[in-house]
Amino acid sequence: DVFKLSYDNATTATVVRIESLNTGNAGSALSVQQKGTGLGGYFQIDNATAGSSAVFATTNSNLGGAVAPVGIYGESTGTGSLGGAFLNTNTGNTFPALYAETKGTSNAVNFRIDNAANTFPALVAKTNGTGSGGFFQIENAANTNAALQATTNGTGNGIAIRGDVTNTANAAAGIYGSTAGTGVGVYGITTGAGAAIQGYTATGAIAIYGRHDGATNGNAGFFEISNVGNTFSALQSNTVGTGSAGNFKINNASSSAPTVFAETNGTGNAGQFKSSNAASTGYALVGETNGAALSAGVFGNNTGTGFGVFGKSNGTAFGSAAVYGEQTGTGDAAGAFRINNASSTMSGLYGETNG
């Protein structure tokens, strides 16, 4: 050592103290410059029972500003060095390499990239262990904010939060939301023209999948429009492929519920089926059953004063009947009409033409 100062006295005292007492002095109280390849400064505590820090810096400045004065400041002016680094090299150490806490009203940590050409993320968190890559927790039960909030003002794909699973053998979700309360596990909202939640896949079978496993009643999916002035459908399904736009199936042989149930409290139809292709020879509605005798492919029932089944045709050619029945088997007639009320005086079949 060029210069060495040792203190081995039993009395507790500061070994070296440097003071700059002039309040107008803008220079450093201590300046160290290194032209070699070694460290600019080295501080070590060589006592396993010590409870003090190797370096402690404090400031009581009230100056504030865009870049406020700091207790410790690190800066890199080269192209291959870091502004600061914190390492735990002892594998038995259970404490974090860096800890930040504030008792003020601002952020505990703030990360910012001030280079518009920089394509790297402002914060990268990686783990080679078995824990999470990141963990966010709110401990205040009265806090109504989100544990994690991400916003973007960019013009890219517009994703504020993105989750990627790059392991092809991993069956877990890219983004997972869970709640033990009465709210939703994942919530999406948009104030623009885009979708609040969108699912996309170019390889998988399903873009969005909903499942309800609970023993209590609940829906696997629910869609609702709460604005009475909205004239759009609560659910719309489109396809440009050759399959169905919608497929509904009950896979429980003991279920007596209908596969599709439609109800309206308005004055419109409970269901409407339309074929808009003039060259189509298919039916707007097909009902088919593999049930026993007296079961029907289509059943109409009116509990009011209207018709049970009503057919109407504007066609001008033969074969455009309002109601058409065809029997291709050897059983009953192509059409059957029956009055099952002994006190009825009406006919079983009534026909009238104005032609």
Side-chain angles (χ1 to χ4, degrees), residues 112-352:
R112 176 182 173 87
I113 291 178
D114 199 19
N115 183 348
N118 191 328
T119 60
F120 286 85
L123 173 62
V124 175
K126 293 183 179 180
T127 177
N128 195 31
T130 58
S132 303
F135 178 75
F136 302 85
Q137 180 180 14
I138 292 177
E139 294 181 336
N140 187 344
N143 192 329
T144 59
N145 289 301
L148 172 62
Q149 178 176 340
T151 61
T152 176
N153 194 34
T155 57
N157 54 18
I159 298 176
I161 298 178
R162 173 173 174 170
D164 292 327
V165 175
T166 58
N167 187 340
T168 56
N170 191 335
I175 295 180
Y176 175 79
S178 176
T179 177
T182 58
V184 296
V186 177
Y187 179 74
I189 183 173
T190 177
T191 57
I197 296 178
Q198 177 175 340
Y200 171 83
T201 178
T203 57
I206 302 173
I208 296 180
Y209 175 74
R211 177 171 176 170
H212 185 280
D213 284 331
T216 57
N217 292 332
N219 303 107
F222 181 77
F223 302 87
E224 180 181 14
I225 292 177
S226 58
N227 190 329
V228 296
N230 192 326
T231 60
F232 284 82
S233 303
L235 174 63
Q236 178 174 336
S237 175
N238 295 338
T239 178
V240 295
T242 57
S244 303
N247 190 356
F248 302 88
K249 181 179 180 179
I250 292 179
N251 201 22
N252 184 348
S254 62
S255 175
S256 60
T259 304
V260 177
F261 176 78
E263 180 179 354
T264 177
N265 194 30
T267 58
N269 301 322
Q272 181 171 335
F273 301 86
K274 179 180 180 180
S275 177
S276 58
N277 189 338
S280 174
T281 58
Y283 303 101
L285 174 62
V286 175
E288 181 178 337
T289 179
N290 194 30
L294 299 182
S295 63
V298 176
F299 173 76
N301 182 34
N302 188 350
T303 58
T305 59
F307 300 102
V309 176
F310 177 77
K312 180 179 180 180
S313 174
N314 291 323
T316 59
F318 179 78
S320 58
V323 177
Y324 175 77
E326 183 180 50
Q327 165 67 278
T328 60
T330 59
D332 212 335
F337 301 87
R338 179 184 181 187
I339 293 178
N340 199 24
N341 188 335
S343 61
S344 175
T345 60
M346 306 300 294
S347 303
L349 174 63
Y350 172 79
E352 180 179 338

Side-chain angles (χ1 to χ4, degrees), residues 21-116:
L21 302 178
N22 186 346
T23 58
N25 187 353
S28 302
L30 173 65
S31 178
V32 178
Q33 186 179 34
Q34 167 67 276
K35 291 285 189 180
T37 59
L39 301 173
Y42 180 76
F43 301 85
Q44 179 184 14
I45 291 180
D46 194 18
N47 184 347
T49 61
S52 299
S53 301
V55 177
F56 178 80
T58 179
T59 176
N60 68 344
S61 174
N62 296 320
L63 183 62
V67 181
V70 296
I72 296 180
Y73 177 78
E75 179 177 318
S76 171
T77 59
T79 59
S81 54
L82 304 175
F86 300 87
L87 302 175
N88 271 344
T89 59
N90 189 330
T91 58
N93 191 333
T94 59
F95 288 85
L98 174 63
Y99 176 79
E101 178 180 335
T102 178
K103 295 187 181 299
T105 58
S106 188
N107 305 321
V109 179
N110 191 357
F111 299 91
R112 176 182 173 87
I113 291 178
D114 199 19
N115 183 348

